[in-house]
Amino acid sequence: MSIICGTDLSPRSVAALEVARALAAQRGEREVVLVHAVEDEDKAAGARAALDAFVASAPGTTPVRAELAVGVPEESLLTFADTEGADLIVIAPSASPTSMFRLGSTAERLIATSGVPVLVVRDPKPWLAFASGERPLRLLVGVDESVSCDLGIQWTHALRQRGPVEVVLGRIYYPDDAADYYGVAHGAVVDRDPVVEQLITRDLLRKFGDNDRVTARALRGLGRLGDHMLELAKDAGVDAIVVGTHQKTGLGRLGSVSAVVVHDATQSVICVPPNAAIPTLQVPRLVSALVATDLSSFANRAVPFAFALTDEGGEVHIAHVVDEDHEIDEVETKRQLLALAPTGMKRQVSAHILRGSDAAKTIAQAAAREGVDAICIASHGRSGITRALVGSVADKLLRETRKPVLVLRPA
């Protein structure tokens, strides 16, 4: 793997190259590939001389291989990234209207099409201090349920293997949506929801895995997510922001989180694309599971699988769903649920009577509220017209929840 640094030969590009060289030295790499592109071949000779002079005057000790390309700048960078097997592209956008990397043009097109993470350097000092071991780097990682977010988390874990990194996990929530997800009561959409924020904070820390030097922040949203992420970054005092990009194009980028953050942040920004080849360093642990049963003999067979999924010392929640107004002996029903637990299993077991007219949604909300890592359920195997008319709780659950679901099917 190598680092590609793009340059338009501006003073701000000097800082980008300095950061690229420092990170390469920290990783033990032999060189940085510096790419400058011109679209007019007649200007190539003069550009080559300017590029060589730029490298000669740039600070840093890691060797630089300067490459001049003739063509569209972002396409040239992506070609070199592919050819060199690069895992990071470093640039420093300039506000100059003639800049090769002015925001709104090459930089945003690069971020929207790159298959590797792109680091947009604004202040080089924190990166240089991190690479030299002088002080920790402080990152805000924007968290959602996207693939690119998961890759951003893995990218952050990889960075933490090379040096001390303090992480702030940030999530923007809308009170009504979040309350519905967790199945809790909510107030006005303009007010913070302390209950929801506590649940989100718990889930952020569990999602990241390694909680050393890690904090989590949930911020109530009213407008654009990107604006709130910038607010969170300023409040947390971070050096850089890690965001996943969905790589929208055209009008779709106007409201995208990454576009807003890259354009308006005063900090450096790392954009992680959904197709980046980032190794998985932190594997999810299944510490807790929820298993739902209607207390039929077949549905009860799903219970042992919840114990099989979880680690010793973990938690298993055994749940039974009834309608809101259904009369039931809750004490006796909970006794029946607890009796389903296999003997000799070292797990914390709890029984829940869940009330709701939509069994699948009720189960999904309980799983979110309890913060479990997986859900187990048996499918009664309806088919044909019965399935069309009645539906399947298991099928609906797969659409309702964001968590892994193990479905036990009949023979």
Side-chain angles (χ1 to χ4, degrees):
M1 294 296 181
S2 62
I3 296 176
I4 301 291
C5 182
T7 180
D8 58 5
L9 308 182
S10 68
R12 293 184 70 177
S13 285
V14 175
L17 178 56
E18 189 175 10
V19 169
R21 295 174 89 168
L23 292 177
Q26 184 191 45
R27 289 159 47 150
E29 295 178 2
R30 59 185 179 84
E31 66 179 7
V32 169
V33 180
L34 181 68
V35 179
H36 178 56
V38 292
E39 297 190 42
D40 187 349
E41 192 167 2
D42 293 339
K43 298 179 179 179
R48 179 78 251 183
L51 179 59
D52 291 341
F54 178 86
V55 173
S57 63
T61 58
T62 303
V64 174
R65 171 157 55 91
E67 298 283 359
L68 180 68
V70 177
V72 178
E74 67 270 20
E75 293 179 1
S76 301
L77 274 173
L78 294 177
T79 297
F80 272 99
D82 183 57
T83 302
E84 300 292 334
D87 63 349
L88 182 65
I89 298 175
V90 181
I91 59 174
S94 169
S96 167
T98 59
S99 169
M100 170 178 157
F101 293 110
R102 65 185 181 277
L103 288 175
S105 60
T106 298
E108 289 193 345
R109 289 197 297 271
L110 175 66
I111 291 167
T113 55
S114 175
V116 300
V118 177
L119 167 58
V120 183
V121 177
R122 285 208 164 82
D123 183 2
K125 297 184 186 67
W127 292 96
L128 299 176
F130 163 70
S132 64
E134 294 178 19
R135 75 165 180 87
L137 187 68
R138 187 166 172 82
L139 296 182
L140 169 64
V141 180
V143 179
D144 58 22
E145 299 300 325
S146 67
V147 171
S148 55
C149 167
D150 290 342
L151 292 174
I153 288 175
Q154 296 298 334
W155 187 90
T156 303
H157 282 303
L159 191 68
R160 282 160 64 91
Q161 289 189 343
R162 296 195 289 270
V165 178
E166 297 175 354
V167 176
V168 180
L169 304 170
R171 180 154 198 163
I172 313 304
Y173 74 96
Y174 295 104
D176 51 346
D177 291 339
D180 184 66
Y181 172 70
Y182 288 109
V184 298
H186 65 87
V189 294
V190 296
D191 296 330
R192 288 181 54 238
D193 191 322
V195 173
V196 164
E197 291 185 5
Q198 184 177 14
L199 293 170
I200 291 175
T201 298
R202 175 203 66 191
D203 289 347
L204 289 174
L205 293 172
R206 288 186 178 182
K207 185 179 183 73
F208 192 76
D210 178 8
N211 292 334
D212 181 38
R213 296 193 183 191
V214 179
T215 57
R217 301 279 295 275
L219 180 65
R220 185 262 299 128
L222 289 176
R224 293 191 305 178
L225 291 173
D227 293 329
H228 290 302
M229 193 61 66
L230 295 175
E231 177 187 349
L232 193 55
K234 180 179 179 181
D235 185 57
V238 299
D239 303 314
I241 306 171
V242 179
V243 291
T245 174
H246 300 290
Q247 297 195 320
K248 297 176 182 177
T249 57
L251 293 176
R253 282 197 60 76
L254 291 177
S256 80
V257 176
S258 60
V260 172
V261 171
V262 169
H263 195 277
D264 296 336
T266 58
Q267 303 88 351
S268 297
V269 180
I270 303 96
C271 292
V272 182
N275 57 340
I278 297 176
T280 299
L281 301 178
Q282 192 77 23
V283 178
R285 291 182 59 210
L286 300 182
V287 177
S288 61
L290 182 145
V291 55
T293 175
D294 60 8
L295 291 175
S296 66
S297 58
F298 179 72
N300 290 345
R301 289 175 58 193
V303 174
F305 287 89
F307 287 81
L309 283 177
T310 54
D311 295 335
E312 184 174 308
E315 302 176 2
V316 174
H317 301 265
I318 308 176
H320 177 63
V321 181
V322 296
D323 288 336
E324 293 281 1
D325 55 355
H326 184 71
E327 293 186 8
I328 187 174
D329 185 338
E330 294 200 7
V331 173
E332 172 59 21
T333 303
K334 285 187 176 182
R335 185 197 65 76
Q336 294 178 42
L337 293 173
L338 292 173
L340 297 173
T343 57
M345 302 295 291
K346 297 179 180 179
R347 308 286 190 277
Q348 298 179 42
V349 184
S350 55
H352 304 266
I353 307 298
L354 307 177
R355 292 189 176 273
S357 57
D358 185 333
K361 185 171 184 177
T362 302
I363 293 168
Q365 289 175 329
R369 197 165 52 249
E370 297 296 335
V372 302
D373 302 306
I375 304 171
C376 295
I377 192 171
S379 171
H380 286 286
R382 295 187 180 99
S383 61
I385 189 64
T386 303
R387 189 182 193 93
L389 294 176
V390 180
S392 164
V393 173
D395 285 349
K396 291 179 181 178
L397 180 59
L398 291 172
R399 295 190 293 270
E400 287 286 349
T401 187
R402 304 169 187 168
K403 298 181 180 294
V405 180
L406 185 151
V407 179
L408 180 65
R409 304 190 66 85

